[in-house]
């Protein structure tokens, strides 16, 4: 009597995110990456026996947390994003487009930390040591305790770590290092996973803060396996317009602090400096009022920022009008135009629309909806809004203006910059204390806001 064994169907796994499927596909069903699904060897299930405990568990109240306290970097805007500074043993991934200023910022951070009598090791794999030295001299980032090595071999880089025992390690970039223990070219999925795992293990073992520089893809997402983002403690996105000096750092993931803060920097030939009051960069001051512009106040974490939304409408003979946006969510702008057409009886189907922000800032908060609506209405009617007016509020598809958090803080920031009038959503709690000489108009619907300004 013969016994037939059924062979198991081959399993396929995505090298980016780990998604698995029973048959091969060209595109991952989870992360939508092309060409990353490979055949995976089935692994037999194993059980691990209990081992002897060398260190008993502690009560959480008895755990000493002093070793995990924040240490300021000396760059206030970066400390704001990180939640207070660098945490010993933390691994931070800083990603951004090439030439955006990542290396300049980290070289400045390395010099400031080194001046605090702490050893810093800067591993560069994309430039020579001489090139980094020239940049350091240009931005005044030369310090005695800052050590530099141009290395692409992971083993040698870890040897430098063992020899120096730094308190801060900067790797620029993680895609340039390679390990001889695994196959593949530097920057590949296998190599990046091995390099990241080895550096994270060294950071946790030695209590060494580690900052990894990462590349981004064409669509702006972090390059490399998605597992890299899950392994590190903090993921920061460094973005900005190449044609503008303004640079923004946002925390996408942070195990030690908030993820809603943003750091503003000014990139110049002399280096990069933090901007503690960047609101003036996002507003254009003109001598004569211009139609199609509206000032709003958005909250980036706990910081209120005054920004300007501009709209331009041009009549077209095309059957499909053009809808172009910059610095705003295109789908959100399209919704606001639909609200104006349906709830305010404003004909926009024969106009090309161009809606943008000033200064390269990106506004993603729903509180900018009302300013977008008013800017488009101003452009359509060719009536400028008052120069000292701000507006903020979330707009629903029914045409209602919904309350937003931090109304009082937004008004205080607007008053500090010289604005005197505000159109805000009606709230059960009201607008809070209003500065003397400041006029606040509460509205319930878009139609009410438009009738207030355009008579």
């Amino acid at each position: 009597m013969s016994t037939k064994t059924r062979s198991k169907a081959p399993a396929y796994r995505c090298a980016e995110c780990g998604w698995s499927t029973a048959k091969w596909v060209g595109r991952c069903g989870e992360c939508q990456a092309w060409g990353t699904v490979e055949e995976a060897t089935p692994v037999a299930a194993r059980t691990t026996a209990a081992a002897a405990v060398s260190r008993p568990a502690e009560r959480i109240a008895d755990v000493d947390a002093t070793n995990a306290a924040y240490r300021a970097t000396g760059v206030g805007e970066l400390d704001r994003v990180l939640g207070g500074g660098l945490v010993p043993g933390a691994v931070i991934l800083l990603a951004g487009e090439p030439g955006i200023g990542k290396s300049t910022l980290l070289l400045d951070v390395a010099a400031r930390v080194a001046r605090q009598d702490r050893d810093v090791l800067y591993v560069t794999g994309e430039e020579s040591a001489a090139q980094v030295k020239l940049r350091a001299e240009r931005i005044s980032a030369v310090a005695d305790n800052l050590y530099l090595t141009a290395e692409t071999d992971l083993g040698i880089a870890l040897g430098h770590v063992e020899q120096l025992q730094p308190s801060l390690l900067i790797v620029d970039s993680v895609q340039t290092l390679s390990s001889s223990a695994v196959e593949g070219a530097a920057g590949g999925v296998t190599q990046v996973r091995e390099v990241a795992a080895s550096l994270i293990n060294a950071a946790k073992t030695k209590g060494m803060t580690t900052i990894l520089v990462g590349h981004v893809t064409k669509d702006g997402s972090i390059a490399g396996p998605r597992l890299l983002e899950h392994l590190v403690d903090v993921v920061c996105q460094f973005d900005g317009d190449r044609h503008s000096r303004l640079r923004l750092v946002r925390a996408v993931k942070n195990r030690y602090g908030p993820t809603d803060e943003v750091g503003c920097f000014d990139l110049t030939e002399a280096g990069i400096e933090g901007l503690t009051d960047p609101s003036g960069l996002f507003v254009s001051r003109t001598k004569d009022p211009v139609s199609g512009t509206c000032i709003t106040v958005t909250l980036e974490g706990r910081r209120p920022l005054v920004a300007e939304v501009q709209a331009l409408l041009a009549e077209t003979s095309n059957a499909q009008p053009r809808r172009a946006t910059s610095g705003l969510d295109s789908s959100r702008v399209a919704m606001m135009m639909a609200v104006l057409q349906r709830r305010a009886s404003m004909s926009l189907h024969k106009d090309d629309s161009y809606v943008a922000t000033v200064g390269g800032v990106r506004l993603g908060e729903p509180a900018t909806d009302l300013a977008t609506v008013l800017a488009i209405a101003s452009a359509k009617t060719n009536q400028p809004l008052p120069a000292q007016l701000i507006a903020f509020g979330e707009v629903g598809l029914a045409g209602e203006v919904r309350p937003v958090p931090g109304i009082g803080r937004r008004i205080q920031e607007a008053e500090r910059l010289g604005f005197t009038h505000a159109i805000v959503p009606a709230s059960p709690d009201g607008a809070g204390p209003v500065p003397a000489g400041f006029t606040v108009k509460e509205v319930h619907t878009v139609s009410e806001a438009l009738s207030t300004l355009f008579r």
Side-chain angles (χ1 to χ4, degrees):
M1 184 176 179
S2 61
T3 303
K4 294 183 179 180
T5 58
R6 178 182 294 181
S7 60
K8 294 184 179 180
Y12 296 86
R13 188 179 302 274
C14 174
E16 290 275 351
C17 64
W19 177 77
S20 59
T21 179
K23 61 180 181 179
W24 183 87
V25 291
R27 189 177 189 179
C28 174
E30 179 69 23
C31 65
Q32 304 299 316
W34 288 96
T36 59
V37 179
E38 303 172 348
E39 185 175 356
T41 305
V43 181
R46 300 178 180 177
T47 58
T48 303
V53 177
S54 59
R55 184 177 181 182
E58 299 179 73
R59 292 186 179 92
I60 190 171
D62 298 334
V63 175
D64 185 11
T66 56
N67 294 330
Y70 288 108
R71 296 178 181 177
T73 63
V75 182
E77 291 298 296
L78 182 61
D79 291 340
R80 174 197 293 271
V81 176
L82 297 177
L86 301 176
V87 176
V91 180
I92 303 168
L93 176 63
L94 179 64
E97 296 180 357
I100 204 71
K102 303 184 299 297
S103 300
T104 303
L105 173 62
L106 292 182
L107 193 57
D108 182 43
V109 170
R112 292 175 182 268
V113 174
R115 295 188 185 107
Q116 301 173 9
D117 293 331
R118 294 157 58 189
D119 290 337
V120 179
L121 176 61
Y122 192 104
V123 179
T124 174
E126 298 183 345
E127 300 175 289
S128 65
Q131 291 174 321
V132 178
K133 171 68 180 304
L134 290 176
R135 185 192 299 116
E137 291 178 342
R138 176 170 57 85
I139 65 174
S140 301
V142 178
D144 292 337
N145 292 340
L146 174 56
Y147 296 85
L148 177 65
T149 177
E151 190 56 62
T152 58
D153 185 87
L154 175 62
I156 299 178
L158 292 176
H160 283 291
V161 172
E162 290 290 338
Q163 181 180 5
L164 186 60
Q165 297 291 326
S167 61
L168 173 62
L169 170 66
I170 298 177
V171 179
D172 186 10
S173 67
V174 67
Q175 278 89 358
T176 59
L177 289 182
S178 61
S179 173
S180 59
V182 296
E183 298 180 353
V189 174
T190 306
Q191 285 288 350
V192 171
R193 184 184 292 113
E194 174 66 21
V195 169
S198 300
L199 292 175
I200 291 172
N201 179 68
K204 302 300 181 183
T205 304
K206 304 177 182 302
M208 171 185 62
T209 306
T210 302
I211 302 179
L212 308 177
V213 177
H215 295 165
V216 296
T217 59
K218 291 182 179 179
D219 60 355
S221 59
I222 299 175
R226 186 62 57 87
L227 182 64
L228 181 61
E229 299 180 47
H230 297 296
L231 289 176
V232 299
D233 301 308
V234 182
V235 179
C236 293
Q237 193 80 27
F238 201 172
D239 54 24
D241 188 356
R242 279 195 174 190
H243 305 289
S244 172
R245 292 166 47 181
L246 177 67
R247 297 293 185 267
L248 300 177
V249 177
R250 305 175 188 270
V252 181
K253 168 188 175 183
N254 193 350
R255 290 175 177 167
Y256 309 110
T259 57
D260 55 359
E261 290 290 352
V262 60
C264 300
F265 296 89
D266 184 17
L267 184 63
T268 64
E269 295 182 357
I272 188 166
E273 297 180 358
L275 294 174
T276 57
D277 188 13
S279 292
L281 298 176
F282 309 140
V283 178
S284 63
R285 298 289 188 177
T286 57
K287 184 179 297 184
D288 300 322
V290 180
S291 62
T293 64
C294 184
I295 310 297
T296 187
V297 184
T298 179
L299 283 182
E300 294 289 349
R302 294 182 294 272
R303 164 190 280 174
L305 293 178
V306 175
E308 181 176 339
V309 179
Q310 295 184 342
L312 176 65
L313 301 181
E315 188 174 349
T316 180
S317 59
N318 297 331
Q320 185 70 28
R322 185 176 182 184
R323 302 287 187 249
T325 60
S326 176
L328 295 164
D329 185 7
S330 58
S331 60
R332 196 81 187 176
V333 174
M335 289 169 56
M336 296 304 102
M337 298 188 69
V339 169
L340 281 173
Q341 290 190 133
R342 184 66 179 86
R343 306 300 178 185
S345 301
M346 188 171 290
S347 178
L348 301 172
H349 63 281
K350 294 184 179 180
D351 296 324
D352 289 337
S353 65
Y354 306 87
V355 185
T357 59
V358 172
V361 64
R362 296 183 181 273
L363 303 180
E365 191 188 15
T368 60
D369 289 348
L370 186 57
T372 303
V373 166
L374 295 180
I376 296 174
S378 173
K380 180 63 178 179
T381 60
N382 199 26
Q383 298 183 40
L385 296 175
Q388 304 302 320
L389 173 74
I390 65 163
F392 54 85
E394 180 182 358
V395 175
L397 295 181
E400 78 279 13
V401 181
R402 301 172 182 169
V404 293
I407 293 179
R409 275 188 292 164
R410 299 174 198 261
I411 292 177
Q412 294 287 343
E413 178 69 10
E415 190 271 339
R416 187 181 69 84
L417 294 178
F419 295 91
T420 58
H421 293 74
I423 296 181
V424 303
S427 174
D429 300 331
V434 178
F438 199 95
T439 304
V440 176
K441 171 64 176 178
E442 296 186 352
V443 296
H444 296 82
T445 63
V446 169
S447 299
E448 185 179 353
L450 294 178
S451 62
T452 304
L453 297 171
F454 310 105
R455 302 184 184 273

